[in-house]
Amino acid sequence: MSTKVMRRLPLIGIVVVLVLALASIMIPRANTAPQRVALLGTTLPQNPAPGFSLRDQFGARVSLRQFRGHPVVLTFMDSNCTALCPVVAETVHRSLSEMGSAGRNVAVLAISTNPEHDTSATIRRFSNQHHLLNRWHFLTSPRGELQPIWDAYHLYVAPASSSPLVDQHHTSATYLLDKRGRERVLMTADPATSDLITDLRILLGLRPQATTAFGVPAPEAGHPAPLFAARTLDGRSVSLRSLRGKVVLLNFWATWCTACKSEVPMLSRWYRQTRGRNLMVLGVNEQEDRGTVAAYLRKYAMPYPVALDESSVLGARYDVAALPKSLIVDGQGVVQMVKLGELSEHDFAAHVAPLLNR
């Protein structure tokens, strides 16, 4: 090799290195950072929420600062209201209930918009009606002390009315504050339950819960089971509310499903063995007519009741995308197990028997 060629090799190497270096700068790299889940509602610029200190329905002094470390639902209410306030209160209650144990880590504050007529008695009555008496702080004070708070949260409240029977007009606003006390979301009018749950789970640092075709949270272990009402093949009405106090095994099935057929002997045995021990096995037939189901039951005896879900209303509510699907719900209406596919003896031993032995 000539000396001339040998001298060029280092120069070529330097050029290659420079080209690769430039390429690494110019070619965009894949973003491997985890993607933030977007909050719903109107997102706010994360400013510190204006502070306040007021008295609640029990006369206790409550300040916003004491809830640092917890997401806060901050809303504005009139305990005498007959229009939107009761709807928002019910949405808050339903959202906390459907969140299960996670909901206990959320603080809820309601500030009066009718201080002249929001008395301790009316506030406690309103709170009781919406199952929130011991779950939220309904705060009030004289109008002069509340006005700066309303202004700070951009709330319009009409002048005082002489009668408590007249709805006090005010802006409907529900703020969601994060654990650091910052304004994160504003929801106006009546927030959707699913939106409120999604945002609160994000602010708690939990993954958003999947939703069904109805836009409600899909059933998950540890969360309340969606309420339902249906009719069995023999015409009896059955509802989850009427089964409260019992362990409920919901089994979604169809006559064409081979795995569903394989489960019948085992489900029948569980049903017979636990009679009198507070277990209700309920088969839910999906999208088949009464005649088809009746003919199948004459051939394959099922001792437990079978509900018809011809339009798949229950199936949508319970997020049934394939069969069989089974859920075990405890006596308090909380889902303890969700299983897609054929049940096993292990499922009974691990999830049903412990509930019956409590």
Side-chain angles (χ1 to χ4, degrees):
M1 183 180 290
S2 69
T3 305
K4 191 173 183 179
V5 172
M6 290 179 66
R7 285 176 180 170
R8 286 179 179 173
L9 286 176
L11 180 60
I12 293 172
I14 292 171
V15 171
V16 170
V17 170
L18 287 173
V19 169
L20 291 174
L22 286 171
S24 68
I25 295 171
M26 296 174 67
I27 297 173
R29 296 181 181 180
N31 183 10
T32 57
Q35 298 296 309
R36 290 182 177 273
V37 181
L39 291 162
L40 305 175
T42 302
T43 54
L44 302 174
Q46 302 188 32
N47 293 326
F52 51 80
S53 177
L54 302 167
R55 294 199 179 274
D56 70 4
Q57 64 267 31
F58 302 111
R61 176 67 65 173
V62 174
S63 69
L64 180 61
R65 181 177 293 275
Q66 74 189 65
F67 298 102
R68 289 290 174 88
H70 297 272
V72 175
V73 177
L74 174 62
T75 190
F76 296 84
M77 291 273 169
D78 172 2
S79 66
N80 299 279
C81 173
T82 58
L84 194 56
C85 295
V87 178
V88 175
E90 198 57 37
T91 296
V92 170
H93 162 66
R94 188 166 56 249
S95 299
L96 295 176
S97 297
E98 292 185 8
M99 288 178 69
S101 58
R104 291 195 286 271
N105 294 315
V106 176
V108 184
L109 308 178
I111 295 179
S112 169
T113 57
N114 190 2
E116 290 77 20
H117 302 294
D118 277 340
T119 65
S120 296
T122 64
I123 288 173
R124 285 198 293 268
R125 183 178 66 244
F126 181 86
S127 301
N128 255 327
Q129 287 172 344
H130 301 287
H131 312 285
L132 290 166
L133 181 63
N134 296 302
R135 187 59 192 84
W136 71 357
H137 299 275
F138 195 129
L139 308 171
T140 190
S141 198
R143 181 173 287 261
E145 188 175 350
L146 291 177
Q147 188 66 57
I149 300 173
W150 297 336
D151 293 342
Y153 285 94
H154 312 288
L155 204 77
Y156 167 77
V157 178
S161 168
S162 59
S163 171
L165 300 178
V166 176
D167 281 351
Q168 184 75 8
H169 294 294
H170 63 89
T171 309
S172 178
T174 300
Y175 286 83
L176 302 186
L177 315 181
D178 64 20
K179 295 178 181 180
R180 295 168 60 183
R182 300 176 301 180
E183 298 174 339
R184 298 298 300 274
V185 173
L186 171 62
M187 294 180 169
T188 56
D190 174 30
T193 301
S194 57
D195 289 356
L196 190 54
I197 291 173
T198 295
D199 282 357
L200 289 174
R201 287 181 65 86
I202 292 171
L203 295 178
L204 282 166
L206 305 173
R207 65 181 178 84
Q209 192 173 354
T211 58
T212 69
F214 278 141
V216 299
E220 290 183 2
H223 293 264
L227 295 176
F228 69 83
R231 287 203 172 273
T232 60
L233 189 64
D234 58 6
R236 290 178 296 165
S237 62
V238 60
S239 68
L240 186 61
R241 195 182 298 277
S242 69
L243 298 174
R244 188 59 60 93
K246 294 180 179 290
V247 178
V248 180
L249 196 164
L250 285 174
N251 177 248
F252 291 87
W253 67 282
T255 61
W256 50 262
C257 169
T258 304
C260 301
K261 178 182 174 182
S262 299
E263 290 180 318
V264 172
M266 183 170 53
L267 287 170
S268 299
R269 186 172 69 257
W270 292 355
Y271 178 75
R272 291 191 181 99
Q273 289 175 349
T274 57
R275 292 293 293 269
R277 293 186 62 197
N278 275 343
L279 174 67
M280 167 59 78
V281 177
L282 179 64
V284 182
N285 178 269
E286 283 297 291
Q287 297 182 313
E288 295 184 296
D289 61 72
R290 179 179 296 273
T292 301
V293 177
Y296 188 87
L297 294 188
R298 284 194 294 271
K299 186 175 182 180
Y300 304 101
M302 293 182 182
Y304 48 89
V306 172
L308 299 176
D309 190 25
E310 295 183 57
S311 301
S312 198
V313 173
L314 269 68
R317 191 171 293 278
Y318 276 82
D319 198 30
V320 178
L323 297 173
K325 181 172 183 176
S326 299
L327 298 93
I328 295 170
V329 182
D330 68 17
Q332 286 70 51
V334 177
V335 177
Q336 296 297 323
M337 185 199 81
V338 179
K339 181 164 184 178
L340 183 61
E342 192 172 337
L343 288 167
S344 68
E345 294 291 351
H346 171 76
D347 295 322
F348 183 88
H351 300 285
V352 178
L355 296 175
L356 297 177
N357 294 330
R358 285 181 180 176

